[in-house]
Amino acid sequence: MRDLAVALGLVLVIEGLLWALAPRFGRKVLAATEEVPESSLRLAGAVAVAAGVLVVWLVRG
């Protein structure tokens, strides 16, 4: 459970960095996603989940 809390904290740090350091860029990225088909966004999300699981699996063994 402690690892989950640390992981969620790191997600918040990484997400927060975008908005703290480059809010204009963040808005451009959000606006650009309106033009991307939903299926592509779902595929990108699934790939990100798979990559995250792979990284955790490699690090934690």
Side-chain angles (χ1 to χ4, degrees):
M1 190 66 164
R2 183 176 177 187
D3 288 342
L4 178 61
V6 170
L8 290 174
L10 287 173
V11 167
L12 291 172
V13 168
I14 292 167
E15 289 284 332
L17 280 174
L18 171 67
W19 298 108
L21 299 177
R24 192 171 297 159
F25 176 73
R27 287 181 189 229
K28 286 182 183 179
V29 169
L30 286 177
T33 61
E34 291 180 1
E35 300 171 11
V36 178
E38 191 172 306
S39 60
S40 295
L41 293 174
R42 286 184 193 274
L43 179 61
V47 168
V49 168
V53 169
L54 178 65
V55 168
V56 170
W57 180 66
L58 289 172
V59 170
R60 302 291 285 176

